[in-house]
Amino acid sequence: MNDSQVRGDGGEPRGGRGPSAEGRGRTAAAVFDALGAECERAFAGSAAHRASLERLLADLAPASRVLDVGSGTGRPTAQTLAGAGHRVLGVDVSPVMTGLAARQVPEAEFRCADVRDLDLAEGGFDAVCVYFSLLQMERDEQRGLVERLVRALRPGGVLVVATVPVDAEGVEAVFMGQPVRVSSFGAEEFAALVTRAGAVVEWAHDALFTPDHPAGSPEPHLFLHARRV
């Protein structure tokens, strides 16, 4: 991955998983710093996530350029893609997560940054993955980011996005024992958001998953695969 595909603003990294730049972003970074590898273990059993990755691999040409937004510990997404020979750039808010990812998936590149602060080149990627990385952003920020991510795809490139499809805006919640503020959309509205951004949804999958964690509880998951027109 080179600087012509993605450039930072040169400032202090801020959280791509945070609700906004500055203060709230740092709060989100603290949440995922605290969770660290617990997050990977809690979600390792997601068959739906694995199925989504398998479908993505089938759509990619050899040595594709892939952006992984909210890359966490690098597993399973970056590890699966890099292991198949693709060029992966992972971006995450959390310094702890980014450090874990760099150690666990050395064949990929990881950057601790807020994806909203990155200058994403038009058509710079063959695929963009966004697995559950929008939930701590406000709804308007989610809409704007999805539009930017679609533009960062080459024509025909694939956007893979997963979320918790609930109608919620600025709701205080607890995630694996950590207090968080979340916003999301219902399934139909979220799919429409992706379509309005300029991508055609080709595959949608719903699943109910319980994280393997003492504070885990069943939650709906929605996976969408869409192609830039």
Side-chain angles (χ1 to χ4, degrees):
M1 205 65 57
N2 58 53
D3 286 343
S4 67
Q5 291 154 1
V6 56
R7 298 178 293 278
D9 65 0
E12 180 181 353
R14 294 191 295 270
R17 290 177 187 255
S20 72
E22 301 303 336
R24 286 180 290 170
R26 285 194 292 271
T27 299
V31 168
F32 288 95
D33 279 349
L35 289 173
E38 282 187 74
C39 217
E40 178 185 327
R41 290 190 292 268
F43 287 85
S46 174
H49 192 156
R50 297 284 181 179
S52 172
L53 286 171
E54 289 172 8
R55 184 178 181 90
L56 175 59
L57 287 174
D59 280 341
L60 293 178
S64 287
R65 299 159 297 175
V66 184
L67 175 64
D68 183 13
V69 178
S71 47
T73 67
R75 300 196 299 209
T77 302
Q79 184 179 67
T80 299
L81 294 166
H86 300 296
R87 294 171 289 164
V88 181
L89 170 64
V91 178
D92 200 281
V93 56
S94 165
V96 169
M97 292 286 205
T98 306
L100 282 168
R103 292 192 294 273
Q104 294 186 150
V105 193
E107 60 271 34
E109 177 188 350
F110 296 96
R111 191 172 301 181
C112 184
D114 186 330
V115 68
R116 291 163 296 182
D117 291 340
L118 297 180
D119 181 10
L120 301 172
E122 175 88 18
F125 295 92
D126 300 295
V128 174
C129 298
V130 195
Y131 286 107
F132 305 104
S133 304
L134 301 175
L135 292 163
Q136 284 186 263
M137 297 182 189
E138 304 295 338
R139 282 179 166 183
D140 284 345
E141 290 180 308
Q142 294 186 38
R143 293 185 186 99
L145 179 59
V146 170
E147 290 174 358
R148 290 184 60 230
L149 294 177
V150 170
R151 290 196 299 270
L153 288 166
R154 64 165 178 78
V158 179
L159 173 71
V160 179
V161 61
T163 191
V164 177
V166 295
D167 185 6
E169 185 166 12
V171 174
E172 300 298 328
V174 177
F175 173 67
M176 292 176 58
Q178 300 289 326
V180 294
R181 177 182 169 92
V182 299
S183 296
S184 190
F185 302 87
E188 290 186 5
E189 190 176 358
F190 191 71
L193 181 158
V194 171
T195 300
R196 287 193 297 270
V200 177
V201 176
E202 296 184 334
W203 184 74
H205 179 68
D206 294 293
L208 189 66
F209 182 75
T210 303
D212 183 11
H213 187 271
S217 59
E219 55 188 51
H221 288 174
L222 172 66
F223 295 80
L224 298 179
H225 286 229
R227 196 175 295 273
R228 180 181 177 179
V229 295

